[in-house]
Amino acid sequence: MTIGKFASFALAALVLAGCGSSSKDQQAASYCPQPLTVQDAQSLTRFKEGSGRDPRDVMFEASLVNAGTKCQLGRNKLEVDVLLRIAVNAGHRSAPA
């Protein structure tokens, strides 16, 4: 078998392996829970110590950008991975006095 024939055979096998999903994957997807996010808990602002609460006193701000799940059916169990995308911004830096 030449390298060209082997490469085309390997490519065809990879393409066919990617077509469709197994019934186990489809069943796992049907049972996979969707994450519930609470609107009030989607962002967080942390301030520096002290009584100030203006933009110069912000240490950092974080927000939940996206949430999702990925499920896989195992033997007598459903494995659920929770995927979170969080964005964090550093606060205001004051110039040294």
Side-chain angles (χ1 to χ4, degrees), residues 1 35 37 42 47 60 66 69 72 91 93:
M1 182 182 281
T37 57
Q42 287 187 342
F47 293 96
F60 66 88
N66 194 4
T69 54
Q72 186 174 12
R93 291 185 173 213

Side-chain angles (χ1 to χ4, degrees), residues 31-42:
Y31 289 116
C32 197
Q34 293 301 310
L36 173 69
T37 57
V38 179
Q39 292 292 352
D40 291 343
Q42 287 187 342

Side-chain angles (χ1 to χ4, degrees), residues 45-64:
T45 302
R46 185 70 62 186
F47 293 96
K48 297 175 187 174
E49 288 187 37
S51 60
R53 293 294 180 256
D54 67 18
R56 293 175 299 190
D57 298 318
V58 172
M59 283 179 35
F60 66 88
E61 294 175 311
S63 61
L64 180 61

